[in-house]
Amino acid sequence: MGTKERFLFALVLLAGMTFTPALAQAGTTYKTSLVPDQEGTTPGFSAKGSKLILRDQLKLKGGIKTVVDGLGERITTDSEDPGDDYSVEVDLFVPATALGGTVTMSFDLKNGNGKFSADLTGNPILAGALPGDAVTVKEVRVKDSSDTVIGTGGIALR
């Protein structure tokens, strides 16, 4: 390897080292199942595959599976009508700053399935929080289009 190649290799290596610490500081992940109040009843949804994930204090995302109406039919909502949306509410608390609040993610359903997400960057709940500060998930609620709680975050008893 010539001098020019060694210089370019060193430059690439140095650039990679400059960005490596940011990648190495991966945070933690909170994950919970979304569990219907009474599994196997209608209306309701399936706990299997329904979940919520909080990553690195900045990204909330998840999905819900097999949402059915009172007749057991899978629900599809109208993407143009926010009044028929389902939602997931997550109560967060940051002990280091004593700040907390609720993040609500509304979503549509297609054939009984839905996905939701929220970027918490700049959210007032995290104001003053520093990297490494704990974020506590206090409660998770799944609500139908009439704002009725139909499930929570947790585990399903078998």
Side-chain angles (χ1 to χ4, degrees), residues 14-153:
L14 182 60
M17 290 172 63
T18 303
F19 295 106
T20 301
L23 297 174
Q25 294 177 9
T28 57
T29 300
Y30 169 85
K31 182 176 180 180
T32 188
S33 294
L34 298 179
V35 182
D37 286 343
Q38 291 184 321
E39 190 167 7
T41 62
T42 59
F45 63 94
S46 173
K48 186 175 182 176
S50 298
K51 64 185 176 242
L52 170 75
I53 300 168
L54 172 61
R55 289 211 168 119
D56 300 333
Q57 302 177 5
L58 298 176
K59 306 285 185 212
L60 265 173
K61 70 177 190 172
I64 192 165
K65 299 286 185 178
T66 320
V67 181
V68 295
D69 62 17
L71 300 173
E73 299 293 322
R74 289 180 179 230
I75 298 173
T76 296
T77 57
D78 182 354
S79 61
E80 302 295 319
D81 180 10
D84 69 354
D85 288 358
Y86 278 57
S87 63
V88 173
E89 295 177 345
V90 183
D91 295 340
L92 301 173
F93 180 71
V94 182
T97 63
L99 293 175
T102 301
V103 175
T104 302
M105 296 168 285
S106 297
F107 58 93
D108 283 302
L109 297 168
K110 184 174 183 179
N111 195 28
N113 301 315
K115 292 185 178 184
F116 48 86
S117 65
D119 184 351
L120 302 179
T121 304
N123 189 298
I125 297 169
L126 301 177
L130 300 173
D133 285 348
V135 175
T136 303
V137 176
K138 294 289 198 176
E139 189 175 356
V140 177
R141 292 171 299 282
V142 180
K143 292 185 171 184
D144 67 11
S145 59
S146 65
D147 212 31
T148 301
V149 175
I150 60 171
T152 61

